[in-house]
Amino acid sequence: MARIVAGISSSHVPAIGAAIDNKRTEEPYWKRVFSGFEKSKEWMAKTKPDVVIAIYNDHASAFSVEMIPTFALGCAAEFPPADEGWGPRPVPVVKGHPELASHIAQSVILDEFDLTIVNKMEVDHGLTVPLNLVFGSPKEWPCPVIPLAVNVVQYPPPTGHRCFMLGKAIRKAVLSYPEDLKVVVFGTGGMSHQISGPRAGLINSKFDKAFLDNLSKDPQKLVRMPHIEYMREAGAEGIEMVMWLVMRGALDDKVDEVYRFYTVPASNTAVGHIILEPSRKGAKKAAAKPKAKRPAAKTKRAAARKIPLVRKGKR
Ligand code: DHB
Ligand code: FE
């Protein structure tokens, strides 16, 4: 049976990709950002997922403004890097997992989430930058990646609650896949940022940190947050954070926060990153829970007849 072994969220700022591609990661500005992902790379090398499901948004690279699906699941065998205006990033082609992706499509759509099935798609910084941050810059990505693109570029994006419920449906799909696969779910985008307009440059660290706290400990506080609150508190592009709720919905109710990093800024954005694993305490409790004792046949019969079990004189 496939399992979800962790959820990871991270920002997906394109300038982070440019810093990698132009070999500027050692400059102090960028070192501050990349140093926060050293532990994550170690964690990834230890965890070795068999498949990543990456929740991200396309920035008018694959879909353009002519067609914007709300939820689009990549079922192809591979996803080449998109041309984002400077040419495609020099990163490996993302290899998909068509079998698991088709299984997820079937399970989730029959669960009444109307995903768009995508059999040909390019992927932009929304997906490739988070891969770089936690896998570094290998010749080939170390495992297949199933992209799930969410519309957060044109109103109306899906609600946080819908995203969270989609995460739950994805979890159900993964857990019903017969092959023993370790799956890690990525939520990308955010945190607070606004790229244009009078509030360009907006960062709200207080909001971001509370979001991280709630994502980890009390996601129900986030699932009903309206879009306007993301926009007001975290800037127009802060809405990308609804995608983190898909990741969170795919995890257990209780999780252990194994790592967190937050720095301001990278380009226009507050960079937030978190790694959540299924709660160890919860797993231990479940393992230690004694099986409910079946009442002995005699006790059951006695109970049925309402006969007192302790006979007189035998106390
Ligand atoms: C920036 C951040 C984004 O998430 C994005 O998609 C584009 C630009 C930025 O910080 O510049
Ligand atoms: Fe973005």
Side-chain angles (χ1 to χ4, degrees):
M1 185 182 89
R3 302 166 277 144
I4 296 181
V5 296
I8 296 186
S9 283
S10 93
S11 309
H12 63 210
V13 182
I16 294 178
I20 298 168
D21 303 342
N22 297 309
K23 309 207 167 0
R24 295 175 57 185
T25 54
E26 290 303 311
E27 292 175 11
Y29 180 95
W30 289 112
K31 211 174 165 104
R32 167 180 52 83
V33 175
F34 289 104
S35 64
F37 291 85
E38 286 308 315
K39 283 233 158 50
S40 322
K41 284 190 205 153
E42 286 168 24
W43 178 91
M44 262 301 182
K46 256 198 275 157
T47 304
K48 291 197 183 67
D50 297 308
V51 186
V52 161
I53 300 173
I55 321 299
Y56 79 110
N57 70 286
D58 178 73
H59 302 73
S61 308
F63 297 131
S64 91
V65 288
E66 288 174 9
M67 181 177 52
I68 306 174
T70 300
F71 294 119
L73 185 71
C75 296
E78 52 179 51
F79 307 92
D83 185 338
E84 302 184 49
W86 300 95
R89 289 194 60 214
V91 288
V93 166
V94 172
K95 300 275 165 62
H97 195 302
E99 297 80 11
L100 178 58
S102 311
H103 173 81
I104 292 173
Q106 173 166 319
S107 174
V108 168
I109 293 169
L110 297 183
D111 256 350
E112 303 180 346
F113 273 95
D114 311 317
L115 296 183
T116 299
I117 294 169
V118 184
N119 292 321
K120 187 167 186 230
M121 181 166 74
E122 294 178 346
V123 288
D124 69 10
H125 68 269
L127 186 126
T128 59
V129 164
L131 292 184
N132 280 131
L133 285 171
V134 296
F135 289 128
S137 300
K139 281 218 164 67
E140 298 289 335
W141 300 118
C143 68
V145 178
I146 298 175
L148 179 85
V150 179
N151 167 36
V152 290
V153 298
Q154 179 166 341
Y155 187 82
T159 62
H161 180 251
R162 189 73 175 150
C163 288
F164 191 76
M165 296 312 287
L166 174 60
K168 283 192 179 294
I170 291 173
R171 176 182 181 80
K172 186 173 155 199
V174 169
L175 298 189
S176 66
Y177 190 70
E179 198 182 335
D180 184 23
L181 295 176
K182 280 199 280 180
V183 177
V184 171
V185 181
F186 283 28
T188 78
M191 296 192 88
S192 54
H193 63 304
Q194 172 144 344
I195 295 180
S196 56
R199 298 205 308 161
L202 178 144
I203 299 280
N204 184 347
S205 300
K206 201 170 157 211
F207 175 89
D208 290 341
K209 287 177 181 169
F211 191 92
L212 288 167
D213 288 344
N214 286 328
L215 192 77
S216 169
K217 300 261 157 28
D218 196 358
Q220 288 306 325
K221 279 206 179 126
L222 300 176
V223 297
R224 293 290 178 188
M225 186 175 2
H227 291 138
I228 193 75
E229 197 168 330
Y230 286 92
M231 308 277 283
R232 188 177 60 230
E233 298 297 326
E237 279 76 26
I239 191 65
E240 289 181 345
M241 277 188 266
V242 289
M243 295 186 289
W244 294 29
L245 294 177
V246 181
M247 175 282 274
R248 187 62 183 88
L251 300 180
D252 292 350
D253 291 346
K254 294 259 176 290
V255 293
D256 291 335
E257 180 175 331
V258 297
Y259 185 61
R260 182 194 294 204
F261 174 63
Y262 184 81
T263 188
V264 174
S267 188
N268 300 291
T269 303
V271 171
H273 171 46
I274 200 163
I275 303 181
L276 304 171
E277 286 180 356
S279 158
R280 278 207 191 136
K281 228 160 127 198
K284 259 195 214 152
K285 244 194 210 163
K289 207 173 175 185
K291 281 194 184 134
K293 270 195 198 148
R294 280 237 230 110
K298 215 166 124 189
T299 328
K300 257 203 236 165
R301 263 183 269 126
R305 279 187 269 135
K306 295 214 170 100
I307 295 172
L309 276 174
V310 183
R311 280 183 217 134
K312 271 183 199 156
K314 278 221 164 181
R315 272 176 202 255

